[in-house]
Amino acid sequence: TTQKQRAMKRIYTIAFALVALFAFSQNATAQKFGPKIGYNLSTIGVSGDNIVINGETVPAAALGTASNMTYGLFYKAKLVPMILDLQFEVNYDPRGTKLDYLFTYEDIQIPIELSMEYNYLTVPALLKAKLLFLYAEAGPYASFLLSAKDKASLTEGVEIPQSEEEDVKDNLKSTDFGFMLGAGIQLGLGPVYLMGGARYTMGMSEIYTDDYKTAYDMQDISFKHHVWTFYAGIGFGL
């Protein structure tokens, strides 16, 4: 009986120590601020079957995926101890898409790879529900357009009077709004907080201006951003 009591006491002591360590870890991450880095895989969701690029009708299914690095800062504050946090971020957020299509010039069809590079400053506000070292996050975001360019890669040896890079910022709306949903892991090491996860960004507002869509007879088609982001960050206590 004495040995059993000692064994149970050890188990209780170890369990208490683990709980205390986890509680300390969670409490130590009450408010954190730091940098984050990630990798965007983005495309543009289209409601119709076809779009118009440089006067050419292109199947919407031809839109591919663009990949870019993303950088930012985050601030995390505790709402409910060990359960719920609120996280604000400011991110340099490259988005866009790529596609291959045939451009017609003087009755000759020339294959072109077009990269649509749209760069935003994105500010999300995320609720983070925590369970041990895991978390799920969700919340709205607002994005502000910084720059927008179309870059065309022409077939080698072909010369046509077309710029390889075009500023198209006037074709896009200056703001974008939507919703983010993600999950990841977190670890509090005293004053240091580590996190890493994956996030899906679903744009809910139209990307292009009405004038641009009217010029190419695409008034009935909607264009919205869709982005997968894989990221990591480190925070320090305030």
Side-chain angles (χ1 to χ4, degrees), residues 8 15 36 45 59 63-64 84 99 107 122 138 168 170 173 184 210 214 225 233 237:
M8 292 299 296
K36 59 188 290 289
L63 294 175
L84 193 64
L99 75 154
D107 297 327
T122 297
V168 295
D170 291 341
K173 293 186 176 180
D210 292 338
T214 300
H225 287 297

Side-chain angles (χ1 to χ4, degrees), residues 1 6-7 11 25 38-39 56 58 64 69 74 87 111 115-116 118 121 136 163 174 179 182 189 200 220 229 235:
T1 302
R6 290 176 179 173
I11 293 174
S25 171
Y39 192 70
E56 304 286 338
V58 179
M69 298 297 295
F74 74 92
Q87 182 165 301
S115 296
M116 301 177 183
Y118 305 154
L121 185 69
S163 173
S174 60
F179 194 78
L189 301 174
Y200 180 66
D220 297 330
T229 303

